[in-house]
């Protein structure tokens, strides 16, 4: 653990991950034994649920490395499913999420993969959500203290690598409309720290903008004038 000041603000570094407070490492108020394997897993499930917009018919969880070895004992299974079902990490019914999913008719598949993490982190999971008309997937990791990183998204046959940290703004539009979105963000003092895109059908692309802060509700409404499928992770 390394403590250092950056522009007058204390930063704590653990295994090359930076935190603004020691409480980010200790972790949040939560249900479960581990801020990394339980609380972080809830957040991964919540972020994945934003991509589908409806209740999935099937949840597939692929675990890598440390997650693959410890998920059952550390409550990672019920944590991810609870997140997909939009439950909070401090919800006392969190451990009941597997039974709730069963009652809702949601199929659950869990795989312990022996291959290395595709995003080079031991606490990695790929969460695939399938509905009648749509299939999406999120590959992310729990980095400690109830914090997560999302590194890869899949929408059907389209895959998008995420270059920055959360919050991330996802949307589809033309390259011309992207300039208008960037203007709106600049006018509202929202700084884009990283961006990437993948090609969709026609003249549209799927864009991912990593932001310094999450946009306010009125700003997202303004951005919707220029794009479709707006999601903020």
């Amino acid at each position: 653990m390394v403590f250092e000041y950056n522009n007058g603000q204390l930063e704590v570094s653990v295994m090359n991950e930076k935190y603004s407070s020691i409480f980010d490492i200790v972790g949040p108020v939560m249900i479960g034994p581990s801020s990394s394997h339980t609380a972080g897993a809830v957040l991964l499930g919540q972020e994945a649920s934003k991509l589908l917009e409806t209740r999935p018919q099937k949840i597939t969880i692929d675990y890598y490395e440390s997650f693959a070895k410890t998920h059952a004992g550390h409550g990672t299974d019920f944590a991810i499913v609870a997140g997909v079902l939009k439950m909070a990490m401090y919800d006392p019914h969190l451990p009941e999420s597997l039974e709730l999913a069963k009652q809702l008719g949601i199929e659950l598949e869990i795989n312990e993969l022996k291959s290395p993490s595709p995003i080079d982190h031991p606490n990695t999971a790929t969460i695939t959500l399938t509905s009648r008309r749509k299939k999406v997937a999120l590959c992310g990791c729990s980095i400690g203290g109830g914090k997560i990183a999302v590194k890869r998204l899949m929408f059907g046959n389209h895959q998008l690598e995420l270059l920055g940290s959360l919050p991330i703004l996802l949307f589809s539009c033309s390259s011309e409309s992207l300039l208008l979105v960037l203007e709106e963000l600049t006018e509202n003092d929202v700084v884009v720290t990283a961006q990437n895109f993948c090609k969709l059908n026609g003249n549209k692309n799927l864009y991912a903008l990593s932001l310094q802060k999450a946009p306010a509700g009125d700003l997202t409404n303004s951005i919707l004038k220029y794009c479709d499928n707006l999601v903020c992770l």
Side-chain angles (χ1 to χ4, degrees):
M1 186 180 297
V2 179
F3 297 87
E4 58 184 348
Y5 279 93
N6 184 11
N7 295 325
Q9 183 175 357
L10 178 66
E11 287 187 343
V12 188
S13 298
V14 181
M15 296 179 65
N16 297 322
E17 300 289 352
K18 288 189 177 294
Y19 304 90
S20 59
S21 167
I22 190 68
F23 297 105
D24 291 340
I25 302 170
V26 174
V29 176
M30 56 171 234
I31 301 295
S34 168
S35 62
S36 292
H37 290 213
T38 314
V42 174
L43 294 179
L44 288 172
Q46 290 174 347
E47 298 303 319
S49 72
K50 295 177 183 179
L51 305 177
L52 192 63
E53 303 168 349
T54 187
R55 183 184 298 165
Q57 293 179 314
K58 182 178 181 180
I59 302 171
T60 304
I61 307 172
D62 295 325
Y63 289 120
Y64 298 86
E65 300 190 26
S66 177
F67 264 5
K69 297 174 182 177
T70 63
H71 65 95
H74 285 188
T76 312
D77 299 344
F78 71 69
I80 288 179
V81 172
V84 172
L85 297 179
K86 299 180 172 59
M87 298 172 69
M89 67 176 67
Y90 51 81
D91 191 320
H93 299 292
L94 209 71
E96 302 167 18
S97 65
L98 298 179
E99 180 59 31
L100 176 58
K102 185 177 180 181
Q103 293 175 5
L104 293 172
I106 301 174
E107 181 184 353
L108 176 63
E109 177 183 336
I110 295 175
N111 302 307
E112 299 173 353
L113 301 186
K114 299 186 182 300
S115 55
S117 162
I119 57 174
D120 196 28
H121 195 284
N123 298 334
T124 296
T126 296
I127 305 167
T128 303
L129 306 180
T130 307
S131 68
R132 186 166 297 154
R133 297 184 178 180
K134 195 173 180 181
K135 184 176 183 179
V136 299
L138 174 151
C139 183
C141 55
S142 179
I143 61 176
K147 289 183 173 291
I148 64 169
V150 179
K151 295 298 184 181
R152 182 179 297 166
L153 302 176
M154 285 76 79
F155 297 87
N157 296 323
H158 302 287
Q159 179 170 299
L160 179 60
E161 304 292 332
L162 303 182
L163 304 180
S165 57
L166 299 174
I168 292 174
L169 200 64
L170 296 170
F171 55 90
S172 58
C173 67
S174 66
S175 56
E176 293 81 7
S177 295
L178 172 65
L179 297 177
L180 299 174
V181 172
L182 293 174
E183 284 182 11
E184 287 280 354
L185 293 173
T186 300
E187 290 174 2
N188 287 271
D189 299 320
V190 178
V191 177
V192 177
T193 58
Q195 70 180 70
N196 200 9
F197 75 95
C198 67
K199 187 73 176 175
L200 298 177
N201 299 325
N203 68 336
K204 285 193 174 183
N205 300 319
L206 176 63
Y207 293 97
L209 307 183
S210 183
L211 307 178
Q212 201 171 64
K213 63 179 180 180
D218 54 346
L219 176 55
T220 56
N221 289 334
S222 297
I223 293 173
L224 273 171
K225 294 183 295 185
Y226 313 116
C227 64
D228 299 314
N229 306 312
L230 183 67
V231 176
C232 188
L233 301 179

